[in-house]
Amino acid sequence: MTDPARTDLTVAVLAGGLSHERDVSLRSGRRIASVLRDAGATVDEWDTDAALLGRLTTGRPDAVVVALHGGEGENGAVQSVLELLGVPFVGTRARDCRRAHDKPTAKAELARAGLDTPEWVALPQTTFRELGAAGVLDALVARLGLPLMLKPDQGGSALGAQVVRDPAELPAAMVGALAYGDTVLVERFVEGVEVAVSVVDTGDGPVALPAVEVEPGNGVYDYTARYTAGLTRFHCPARLPDDVAGRVAEAAVAAHRVLGLRDLSRTDAVVDAEGRVQLLEVNVSPGLTENSLLPRAVAAAGRDLGEVFTRLVDLAVSRGVGA
């Protein structure tokens, strides 16, 4: 039912962009625009193209929801422009987006705060070219062992990510990761239960929603498994003992706080055989598609996605210009 009190609220949903995750972003944008309209808001859906600055200036909305994935939507670029223009928006400040978007930086901060994250090495493409790829890859295996996870140091949706169980697979995996960025993050692969924990703060502090357990049919939660219906089974809440589920929730909220995130985030983690929670990465702009994890967690918590985002929009408006 439409709330008459919401009819004067104007929201711009930013989706699309030029990152490799454009298609997913457009699906997220359509979903969140739909639930906000159902809640009574007037919603425009805008791409981040050359017309955006004019739209924000002449058709200034009460608030913006950033539904961009990867690239400028998560590295703080768009958020910096919104801050420059003094437009309130849902989500994390620009400076903290930059910190969370760079996976090695985020992992270092999490580790420094005492949170567990798999051991890793981040190497730019120039290192492989100048020192010789074969020798560097041999050193990685000697230090971290096998299996390994290779992925770009930035970006999401598991684009360019690959599990390597045989040294012969390393060169191709490295090339695949570097196709999406100039630096490859190599971390020790952790076997266990893969979970995603969404954190939402609608004004009373960050709260972890029920963890979603991810069970991909092919054993790897890659891009295809994430966005193709039927290829992955989801369990929400995750099939974890209560004490482990509690530690997972605490770790996600701690990561949200350590990285200075705001409004919402999603932490991806693995619970290993000993019950340790290993944090993999933290996403400042979680997917909102029909197959995404945050909407599943919202539903499992007994909440409505439109209500949650209406609250977040209200919070952004109340923070005011430049906040």
Side-chain angles (χ1 to χ4, degrees):
M1 179 181 296
T2 298
D3 179 357
R6 312 306 315 152
T7 54
D8 291 334
L9 184 67
T10 60
V11 181
V13 174
L14 304 188
L18 296 177
S19 82
H20 296 292
E21 299 171 74
R22 174 179 174 82
D23 289 343
V24 178
S25 172
L26 289 170
R27 289 162 60 186
S28 287
R30 286 193 294 269
R31 176 85 179 275
I32 205 61
S34 176
V35 298
L36 284 170
R37 289 188 183 109
D38 288 344
T42 299
V43 182
D44 291 313
E45 298 175 59
W46 293 342
D47 209 331
T48 52
D49 53 22
L52 180 61
L53 288 177
R55 287 169 170 163
L56 287 169
T57 303
T58 62
R60 185 186 180 88
D62 294 314
V64 164
V65 174
V66 179
L68 296 160
H69 306 317
E72 73 274 8
E74 295 191 62
N75 65 13
V78 166
Q79 290 81 358
S80 291
V81 170
L82 295 172
E83 290 170 357
L84 282 172
L85 296 177
V87 178
F89 62 93
V90 171
T92 294
R93 300 173 187 86
R95 65 174 185 268
D96 299 316
C97 284
R98 285 191 291 273
R99 179 167 52 180
H101 185 63
D102 185 78
K103 294 182 179 73
T105 298
K107 281 170 68 72
E109 296 220 11
L110 296 175
R112 191 158 45 241
L115 296 168
D116 284 331
T117 185
E119 187 177 357
W120 80 97
V121 175
L123 294 170
Q125 185 174 10
T126 53
T127 299
F128 296 97
R129 184 172 63 245
E130 294 171 3
L131 301 184
V136 175
L137 293 176
D138 287 344
L140 286 170
V141 173
R143 172 63 184 272
L144 299 178
L146 290 170
L148 294 170
M149 170 63 83
L150 273 67
K151 53 190 172 184
D153 67 323
Q154 299 184 5
S157 292
L159 288 166
Q162 184 174 331
V163 179
V164 172
R165 301 183 184 276
D166 186 311
E169 301 169 350
L170 269 171
M174 181 190 70
V175 171
L178 290 173
Y180 293 93
D182 294 328
T183 298
V184 60
L185 174 66
V186 183
E187 63 184 4
R188 182 173 288 140
F189 181 75
V190 179
E191 303 279 1
V193 179
E194 187 168 354
V195 295
V197 188
S198 298
V199 173
V200 174
D201 183 354
T202 53
D204 298 318
V207 175
L209 301 179
V212 181
E213 178 184 344
V214 176
E215 188 181 12
N218 65 356
V220 179
Y221 194 42
D222 56 15
Y223 183 89
T224 302
R226 286 168 186 249
Y227 299 111
T228 305
L231 293 187
T232 300
R233 295 180 65 189
F234 302 97
H235 307 276
C236 190
R239 300 171 298 178
L240 298 171
D242 290 345
D243 61 326
V244 177
R247 291 201 300 274
V248 166
E250 290 171 2
V253 171
H256 185 96
R257 293 184 185 278
V258 166
L259 296 176
L261 308 187
R262 188 174 71 178
D263 295 341
L264 74 167
S265 68
R266 193 197 72 235
T267 295
D268 298 334
V270 173
V271 180
D272 66 19
E274 286 74 43
R276 291 173 56 201
V277 180
Q278 299 278 315
L279 302 184
L280 303 179
E281 55 191 76
V282 183
N283 192 313
V284 301
S285 183
L288 299 165
T289 73
E290 64 284 350
N291 224 39
S292 295
L293 304 179
L294 188 148
R296 294 175 187 274
V298 169
R303 302 182 66 176
D304 176 77
L305 192 63
E307 173 266 330
V308 168
F309 270 86
T310 299
R311 293 278 299 275
L312 292 175
V313 167
D314 284 340
L315 193 61
V317 172
S318 70
R319 284 194 292 256
V321 174

